[in-house]
Amino acid sequence: MDAEADPPQNPITRHKCLACYKQYKKKEHLIEHMKTSYHSVHQPRCGVCQKHCKSFESLREHLTGPLPRGICSKIFSQQGCQLCLALFDSPGSLIGHRETCRLSAPTCPGTSALPYIDSQFDCQDSSDENHAGEGPGGAVAIDCEMVGGGSDGSLELCARVCLVDEDERLIFHTYVQPEIPVTNYRYDITGLTEEHLKNAIPLKKVREKLLQILQNGESIGKVRLDGGKARLLVGHDLAHDLDCLKMNYPDHMLRDTAKYRPLMKTNLVSHSLKYLTRTYLGQVNFFLNPFSVINCFFQFQVFLLFL
């Protein structure tokens, strides 16, 4: 009698996530993954295979990294934009997109050439209610320059504040008188000297003026509730700037590119603003000037916020 043939082995069933394409042996593991991954339409996606990636850095590795996915990498190399990672139907469309995707170099305002706006600055005169943006108040970007205090110059003291609107117009700029003596002006980074802070405005008055501009006539209760006409505050590592200004602003009114998950590293650590601007805007030269960062800084912020 012939030996009985071994029964055919059942293939192992894999449970696949339809967003990121990860596979699991058990359905319970897939369910747990879906609960913790928070996949959404806002995540960066591959234009070829539609795979969700947790960050643009992950998407870049998927398309052009050391071990890219073959078919995706091949199509992207012919039809994709290396800056914004978008995919286009034809070479002509890609060429037209590239002309607008790489922003022109920002105007360098320099350190001493920026207009000085004193405490009599009227934010209502420079505001434009018809600005395009999220909500009636639109948005403004902030950047601060810090000098050093304390015996070793390690304390962060705000010495300069600048606000720019979504049209790249300078709406507020002032030097700030720190509350304690400055022991390190960090000139190679800030471009500031003792002369710049000689007649600077006290920190308290600067803080009041900033809140007046941001709240845009709304009561603080209304701002905390739903924002109303108040302006969104855009920046990079806003917690640090607000801490140095000793200022509070509701979390739902902040847009921080250092905390925006799609712009983080694959391990969810923030990139520097210099890296983000070079990688996604193709700008590198503006860092040669200590404070010329502000123009391109807001170009980068608005590019993300209003795209």
Side-chain angles (χ1 to χ4, degrees):
M1 181 179 294
D2 295 337
E4 293 183 1
D6 293 334
Q9 297 290 332
N10 292 328
I12 299 176
T13 302
R14 294 277 184 174
H15 301 276
K16 183 177 181 181
C17 174
L18 297 179
C20 66
Y21 302 159
K22 288 185 177 180
Q23 297 186 19
Y24 299 89
K25 292 182 179 179
K26 296 184 178 181
K27 188 174 182 180
E28 293 80 5
H29 294 168
L30 173 61
I31 294 174
E32 186 65 26
H33 162 75
M34 295 175 68
K35 289 180 178 179
T36 58
S37 60
Y38 301 105
H39 291 310
S40 76
V41 296
H42 301 289
Q43 285 184 314
R45 286 195 298 175
C46 173
V48 181
C49 68
Q50 300 302 311
K51 174 184 177 181
H52 286 242
C53 298
K54 62 183 179 181
S55 68
F56 283 107
E57 197 73 8
S58 299
L59 177 58
R60 193 177 295 277
E61 290 186 3
H62 172 76
L63 294 170
T64 63
L67 296 173
R69 184 169 181 177
I71 184 65
C72 297
S73 176
K74 182 178 180 180
I75 296 177
F76 180 79
S77 65
Q78 300 172 352
Q79 302 173 224
C81 174
Q82 297 292 332
L83 285 178
C84 67
L85 306 181
L87 197 69
F88 294 87
D89 297 331
S90 66
S93 299
L94 176 59
I95 293 173
H97 166 78
R98 283 175 175 168
E99 293 176 356
T100 58
C101 186
R102 182 182 294 271
L103 297 183
S104 58
T107 303
C108 176
T111 298
S112 59
L114 274 176
Y116 179 81
I117 302 173
D118 62 19
S119 59
Q120 295 180 354
F121 168 79
D122 184 0
C123 69
Q124 298 301 324
D125 292 340
S126 64
S127 63
D128 185 356
E129 295 181 357
N130 296 321
H131 281 179
E134 183 176 335
V140 295
I142 188 171
D143 192 33
C144 302
E145 289 294 330
M146 310 299 177
V147 293
S151 58
D152 58 353
S154 61
L155 295 179
E156 296 281 288
L157 306 176
C158 180
R160 190 174 194 174
V161 180
C162 189
L163 289 182
V164 184
D165 67 11
E166 56 260 45
D167 295 321
E168 300 178 35
R169 294 185 301 187
L170 183 67
I171 62 172
F172 181 71
H173 163 248
T174 188
Y175 299 108
V176 183
Q177 183 63 56
E179 296 179 328
I180 63 175
V182 178
T183 56
N184 184 358
Y185 285 90
R186 304 174 184 175
Y187 177 76
D188 55 333
I189 299 174
T190 65
L192 298 176
T193 64
E194 182 179 0
E195 188 66 23
H196 288 101
L197 304 186
K198 191 173 182 180
N199 298 312
I201 300 177
L203 178 62
K204 181 180 179 180
K205 289 187 177 180
V206 173
R207 183 167 58 245
E208 292 173 353
K209 183 60 62 176
L210 290 174
L211 288 174
Q212 180 185 354
I213 296 172
L214 291 173
Q215 291 176 8
N216 198 25
E218 287 285 7
S219 66
I220 186 61
K222 180 68 173 177
V223 175
R224 289 174 178 170
L225 181 63
D226 60 9
K229 296 186 299 181
R231 294 178 169 94
L232 295 174
L233 182 61
V234 185
H236 190 79
D237 195 10
L238 282 171
H240 177 253
D241 288 348
L242 293 177
D243 182 61
C244 291
L245 288 167
K246 297 183 179 179
M247 189 175 86
N248 295 316
Y249 203 56
D251 289 344
H252 68 277
M253 298 297 291
L254 303 179
R255 298 295 184 270
D256 193 340
T257 54
K259 304 297 182 184
Y260 184 49
R261 288 173 66 101
L263 291 179
M264 290 178 155
K265 300 179 183 178
T266 54
N267 60 355
L268 297 182
V269 175
S270 173
H271 280 294
S272 68
L273 181 61
K274 180 177 181 179
Y275 172 87
L276 293 174
T277 310
R278 182 182 67 243
T279 303
Y280 296 104
L281 294 183
Q283 294 295 337
V284 293
N285 295 330
F286 68 93
F287 287 97
L288 298 177
N289 181 277
F291 204 71
S292 63
V293 64
I294 186 60
N295 258 8
C296 198
F297 167 81
F298 192 68
Q299 287 185 27
F300 168 65
Q301 311 295 349
V302 175
F303 174 79
L304 296 171
L305 188 60
F306 298 104
L307 186 63

